[in-house]
Amino acid sequence: MPLVTSKDLLLAALEGHFAIGAFNANNMEQVQGIVDAAVEEKAPVILQVSQGAIRYAGLDTAAALVKIAAAEANVPVVLHLDHGTDVEQNVRCLRAGFTSLMFDGSKKTYEENVATTAKVAQIAHWCNIPVEAELGKVLQSTDGVTEKDVQAAMTNPDQAQDFITRTGCDSLAIAVGSVHAMQQAAAKLDIARIKAIREKVSIPFVLHGSSGVAEESEVEAIPYGITKINVATMLNVAFAEGLRKAMAELPDNVDPRKWLGYSRDAVKEVVRHKIRLFGSSGTVTSSGGLVSPKTVHRAAHLGGAEE
Ligand SMILES: [Zn+2]
């Protein structure tokens, strides 16, 4: 299928009380592992490319890898920009065929974040492409953050309402207890805060830094509107572990395909696990459309999605 935008998928997930995995990809093996898992699980999937991935692979190469994988897949695939830093980068990605954008103004002042997010949303909406924004700050574990820092950076519900009204963004990354680049899944999300933001804001929410969050806490947050869950660090860990295992088992090998196949398989299994955890497994019909959100919602309460 051609790429689809994240707009309708996230709204369907919101209504169906499931979440769509947004998996970071930097190379061909990661793209293939992610898409293969989504196809086998009959799940919609978001592949996202960060600024670092664009520097590594080149913008057009990164976009082309995802477009080709999507074309060969019979499930909806979104190509998303993760943490776009400015207007120009978002426009470049729009031109390169991305079907979902993000402007992250969380390090800027509130008014600068509002102004730039509104500008990106206006341009993207001219092309029918949705935009994710960030309010509050999802911090980086490499910056040595404390529990107090995480608390202080959380999203304010009243400010979120003002932000959505003034920017017109389509989904919102909220800071509710997760931290980027954690290798231990131990953090608990602030469910009361997610509920409080949900009372003020009706658009889909995005969870960043999920690799550091306890899985039961992730699942608990989904019915309150966490509809896109970003997974990056955990995939990198799986890729690296696969490679180490391959090199240990095949120490004399010189064919990179034999090593990287292990990494691709390891990525695929993590993605499969997350898709099942998020409740999006089995939400795509044989014609490539989504099953009715109400059906998924009902099935989720009975212990598993079904067609
Ligand atoms: Zn992030």
Side-chain angles (χ1 to χ4, degrees):
M1 291 168 59
L3 292 169
V4 300
T5 82
S6 56
K7 177 92 181 181
D8 291 343
L9 291 184
L10 295 184
L11 291 175
L14 188 63
E15 198 185 337
H17 287 192
F18 64 94
I20 299 174
F23 302 100
N24 283 71
N26 303 299
N27 62 31
M28 185 190 79
E29 286 76 11
Q30 288 174 317
V31 169
Q32 289 176 331
I34 295 163
V35 174
D36 286 352
V39 167
E40 287 180 16
E41 291 298 316
K42 298 188 175 66
V45 71
I46 299 170
L47 270 94
Q48 49 186 26
V49 178
S50 66
Q51 302 281 155
I54 290 170
R55 278 194 298 276
Y56 174 72
L59 178 58
D60 290 330
T61 301
L65 281 172
V66 179
K67 284 180 202 172
I68 291 167
E72 292 173 345
N74 58 356
V75 296
V77 178
V78 175
L79 170 58
H80 176 80
L81 169 64
D82 189 25
H83 292 284
T85 45
D86 51 41
V87 179
E88 290 82 350
Q89 184 64 354
N90 272 275
V91 171
R92 276 193 287 271
C93 288
L94 205 53
R95 282 177 55 93
F98 281 56
T99 54
S100 184
L101 298 176
M102 179 187 187
F103 171 68
D104 174 6
S106 64
K107 291 191 186 70
K108 300 183 183 302
T109 65
Y110 179 67
E111 287 302 326
E112 281 172 335
N113 191 1
V114 168
T116 312
T117 300
K119 192 170 180 181
V120 171
Q122 184 184 40
I123 295 168
H125 290 169
W126 284 333
C127 305
N128 282 329
I129 297 298
V131 174
E132 174 185 331
E134 180 165 327
L135 185 66
K137 276 193 206 81
V138 181
L139 302 169
Q140 288 289 343
S141 64
T142 43
D143 295 339
V145 294
T146 64
E147 186 56 37
K148 217 172 149 187
D149 297 331
V150 175
Q151 286 290 332
M154 285 199 189
T155 307
N156 174 303
D158 290 316
Q159 199 175 47
Q161 187 178 34
D162 180 69
F163 185 82
I164 300 307
T165 311
R166 291 171 63 195
T167 62
C169 66
D170 302 273
S171 61
L172 186 67
I174 52 175
V176 287
S178 60
V179 174
H180 283 117
M182 299 282 284
Q183 293 194 21
Q184 300 295 327
K188 286 226 164 14
L189 297 175
D190 186 341
I191 301 291
R193 185 175 294 262
I194 301 172
K195 283 189 202 173
I197 305 168
R198 174 52 66 213
E199 279 170 20
K200 306 271 180 180
V201 174
S202 61
I203 64 172
F205 295 153
V206 181
L207 178 67
H208 285 240
S210 81
S211 296
V213 177
E215 291 194 332
E216 61 272 19
S217 191
E218 275 180 293
V219 171
E220 193 185 354
I222 291 172
Y224 303 108
I226 299 280
T227 59
K228 173 176 177 276
I229 301 183
N230 292 3
V231 183
T233 305
M234 201 175 269
L235 296 186
N236 287 342
V237 170
F239 190 96
E241 281 174 356
L243 196 54
R244 273 194 283 271
K245 185 168 174 238
M247 293 176 95
E249 285 182 14
L250 307 167
D252 300 324
N253 172 57
V254 292
D255 180 347
R257 295 171 298 184
K258 290 188 178 160
W259 285 331
L260 293 172
Y262 277 65
S263 293
R264 180 167 60 191
D265 290 345
V267 167
K268 181 176 165 181
E269 291 315 311
V270 173
V271 172
R272 185 195 309 284
H273 168 72
K274 286 293 180 184
I275 283 173
R276 291 181 180 176
L277 185 75
F278 299 159
S280 57
S281 180
T283 59
V284 178
T285 65
S286 51
S287 59
L290 283 194
V291 298
S292 138
K294 285 195 176 61
T295 310
V296 182
H297 188 176
R298 221 171 20 245
H301 285 274
L302 294 171
E306 55 189 27
E307 262 185 54

